[in-house]
Amino acid sequence: MATVLVVEDNKAQREMISELLIKMGLKVSVASDGVEALEQIDGNPPDLVVLDIIMPRMNGYEVCRRLKSNTKTQNLVVVMCSAKKEEFDRYWGMKNGADAYIAKPFHPQELVGTVKQLLRA
């Protein structure tokens, strides 16, 4: 069973995303900010991270940069999922190493399809 870490500071969003992924048959853990996410990943790396950008303590861009520059976590699949939806935000997310970028609000099938595709790759 694949594991996913949902990193989202908004509790309602975190729960909604987690429920979608659990319904897909995935094992889900959660973190409420970037620092907590890096601590969890260091101890037990998931197969994929769904990562918000705007969070306290450390934003998603920095988390992604750190993951992709570390040889232990550089192959970890990262899906940025953010309310920042301008083309520049998408570009910046991908430039920082994200494997996919989904703008909020999103259709549940968009997230589910993206996660399925990346876990298969």
Side-chain angles (χ1 to χ4, degrees):
M1 177 187 297
T3 59
V4 178
L5 174 62
V6 176
V7 188
E8 169 65 64
D9 61 320
N10 179 291
K11 186 177 191 281
Q13 287 278 325
R14 192 169 56 240
E15 289 175 355
M16 187 268 297
I17 293 169
S18 296
E19 283 179 28
L20 280 173
L21 299 172
I22 289 167
K23 284 180 184 172
M24 286 175 61
L26 301 171
K27 184 174 182 236
V28 176
S29 57
V30 296
S32 58
D33 65 47
V35 173
E36 187 181 335
L38 290 176
E39 288 168 356
Q40 282 192 42
I41 291 167
D42 188 46
N44 189 18
D47 298 302
L48 184 141
V49 178
V50 176
L51 182 62
D52 187 21
I53 294 174
I54 305 168
M55 298 181 292
R57 299 205 294 167
M58 184 184 297
N59 70 44
Y61 293 133
E62 179 64 21
V63 172
C64 192
R65 242 189 333 270
R66 288 186 185 204
L67 291 173
K68 295 300 185 168
S69 66
N70 181 335
T71 53
K72 274 178 53 182
T73 56
Q74 67 188 7
N75 295 322
L76 191 58
V77 179
V78 176
V79 177
M80 285 196 166
C81 187
S82 177
K84 294 175 72 68
K85 54 186 168 214
E86 298 300 319
E87 194 55 41
F88 176 78
D89 301 313
R90 182 179 304 275
Y91 165 79
W92 196 242
M94 302 306 274
K95 185 159 177 58
N96 279 285
D99 298 282
Y101 191 102
I102 297 174
K104 296 176 193 171
F106 58 86
H107 292 288
Q109 283 306 94
E110 181 182 8
L111 178 67
V112 167
T114 300
V115 168
K116 276 183 183 173
Q117 180 183 357
L118 290 169
L119 287 174
R120 258 188 257 130

